[in-house]
């Protein structure tokens, strides 16, 4: 793999990847709607709006691998999700197909399955249970990835990312925290491992309270180095200051589940 494009490079996760992945591939390109304020003279940046097919085509021209972090990364009104995460994502996969991109690593999210209760350990074989319009768009992205993988032969990896940060910031994040260096490991598996056709993996570090069975990632060589438990004290102290949230604390997706929640039914046990 020589040429790799990171979309969403001006965002929080993208900014970390820019630094961690520098020099990893001979031609590392970055893209986002707006130029990152701290762009270095040695970085290659192409501004592109995902909703503009011509701009997306220019952005992917000549790349072999794409790490797609671009689009809306939290819950938002439907129109915003629709344009960036549905139409924009389709533009990206179409451009990738036309220019014969070999690999795509798609930043899916834990919110594609946020409505599973925390007491249940899930793998990647259960049906999606999105907890938000954003989560629905991530489930769509996983489906679109499978379609382009099996129909058009692009090697696609969907990473159901937990929470990327220096350390877990509350009880929920103790379970789903992903150390940035561990994310890089997962991305490299998606870009480089010879056995990738279509894979779904969880983006979590070595966390004792994790709710996910990430067996496939381990089979493909993932060896996380981050240990959420090392930050338990600070995370639980922060948790104690958060408001009560019976719905959010029951389900894996947290506040994404409790926001706009008006189900008259009891919390789902399964
Ligand atoms: C996500 O998918 C978001 O992109 C991120 O901002 C966090 O909210 C994260 O999930 C999380 O669940 O903590």
């Amino acid at each position: 793999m020589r040429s790799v494009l990171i979309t969403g490079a001006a965002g929080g996760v993208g900014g970390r990847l820019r630094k961690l992945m520098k020099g990893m591939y001979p031609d590392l390109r970055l893209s986002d709607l707006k130029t990152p304020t701290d762009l270095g003279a040695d970085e290659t940046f192409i501004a592109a709006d995902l909703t503009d097919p011509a701009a997306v085509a220019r952005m992917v021209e000549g790349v072999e691998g794409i790490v797609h972090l671009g689009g809306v990364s939290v819950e938002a009104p439907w129109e915003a999700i629709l344009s960036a995460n549905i139409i924009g994502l389709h533009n990206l996969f179409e451009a990738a197909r036309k220019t014969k991109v070999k690999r795509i690593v798609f930043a899916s999210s834990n919110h594609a399955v946020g409505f599973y209760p925390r007491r249940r350990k899930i793998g990647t074989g259960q049906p999606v249970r999105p907890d938000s319009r954003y989560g629905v768009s991530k489930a769509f992205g996983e489906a679109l990835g499978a379609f382009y993988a099996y129909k058009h032969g692009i090697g696609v990896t969907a990473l159901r990312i937990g929470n990327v940060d220096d350390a877990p910031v509350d009880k929920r994040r103790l379970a789903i925290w992903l150390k940035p260096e561990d994310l890089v490991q997962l991305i490299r598996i998606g870009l480089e491992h010879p056995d990738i056709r279509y894979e779904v993996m969880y983006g979590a570090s070595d966390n004792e309270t994790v709710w996910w069975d990430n067996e496939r990632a381990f089979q493909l060589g993932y060896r996380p180095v981050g240990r959420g438990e090392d930050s338990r004290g600070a995370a639980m102290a922060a948790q104690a200051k958060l408001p009560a949230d019976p719905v959010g604390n029951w389900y894996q997706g947290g506040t994404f589940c409790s926001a706009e929640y008006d189900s008259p039914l009891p919390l789902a046990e399964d």
Side-chain angles (χ1 to χ4, degrees):
M1 185 79 27
R2 280 191 57 78
S3 48
V4 171
L5 166 75
I6 303 177
T7 70
V13 177
R16 290 170 189 276
L17 290 183
R18 275 169 55 205
K19 295 191 177 73
L20 291 171
M21 292 180 66
K22 194 171 252 182
M24 226 168 240
Y25 299 99
D27 177 9
L28 187 66
R29 302 186 203 169
L30 312 170
S31 178
D32 209 309
L33 261 178
K34 290 191 188 131
T35 312
T37 45
D38 60 345
L39 192 74
D42 56 345
E43 291 182 301
T44 309
F45 181 83
I46 311 149
D49 181 344
L50 290 169
T51 63
D52 175 352
V56 174
R58 280 195 297 279
M59 169 181 86
V60 304
E61 182 64 44
V63 302
E64 292 171 297
I66 301 175
V67 181
H68 183 58
L69 307 170
V72 176
S73 65
V74 288
E75 181 61 315
W78 173 243
E79 292 68 27
I81 298 282
L82 175 66
S83 55
N85 291 17
I86 306 286
I87 296 171
L89 190 68
H90 182 257
N91 288 340
L92 180 95
F93 272 88
E94 260 306 276
R97 177 185 69 78
K98 287 182 187 152
T99 191
K100 302 206 180 324
V101 166
K102 293 190 177 83
R103 295 287 175 96
I104 297 180
V105 177
F106 167 61
S108 182
S109 167
N110 70 90
H111 297 291
V113 288
F115 266 123
Y116 281 97
R118 295 185 185 191
R119 65 184 206 173
R120 177 156 168 199
K121 191 156 189 170
I122 56 168
T124 53
Q126 289 87 357
V128 291
R129 282 193 195 176
D131 58 21
S132 46
R133 293 172 289 277
Y134 165 69
V136 169
S137 76
K138 294 302 181 182
F140 168 80
E142 292 184 5
L144 197 69
F147 171 62
Y148 276 84
Y150 290 105
K151 178 79 82 175
H152 300 298
I154 302 178
V156 176
T157 300
L159 297 179
R160 286 183 183 165
I161 297 174
N163 187 254
V164 179
D165 209 336
D166 294 332
V169 292
D170 56 24
K171 188 176 179 200
R172 177 172 166 270
R173 269 58 168 258
L174 275 177
I176 69 165
W177 175 60
L178 178 59
K179 189 178 170 76
E181 286 80 357
D182 290 341
L183 172 59
V184 173
Q185 267 198 57
L186 290 165
I187 288 171
R188 295 198 72 172
I189 291 170
L191 291 174
E192 298 169 31
H193 198 290
D195 297 342
I196 304 285
R197 183 152 190 181
Y198 174 71
E199 301 289 348
V200 179
M201 295 184 249
Y202 284 98
S205 286
D206 182 13
N207 305 331
E208 269 177 35
T209 55
V210 74
W211 306 308
W212 306 322
D213 175 355
N214 213 8
E215 195 191 335
R216 184 63 181 145
F218 296 125
Q219 277 172 5
L220 292 170
Y222 179 47
R223 300 288 177 267
V225 297
R227 286 174 34 86
E229 219 49 29
D230 292 348
S231 306
R232 171 166 282 273
M236 292 310 284
Q239 177 71 34
K241 295 187 187 137
L242 295 176
D245 183 0
V247 172
N249 289 340
W250 180 257
Y251 291 115
Q252 297 187 4
T255 54
F256 283 63
C257 296
S258 47
E260 302 173 46
Y261 185 87
D262 59 4
S263 170
L265 302 173
L267 300 178
E269 296 283 328
D270 61 326

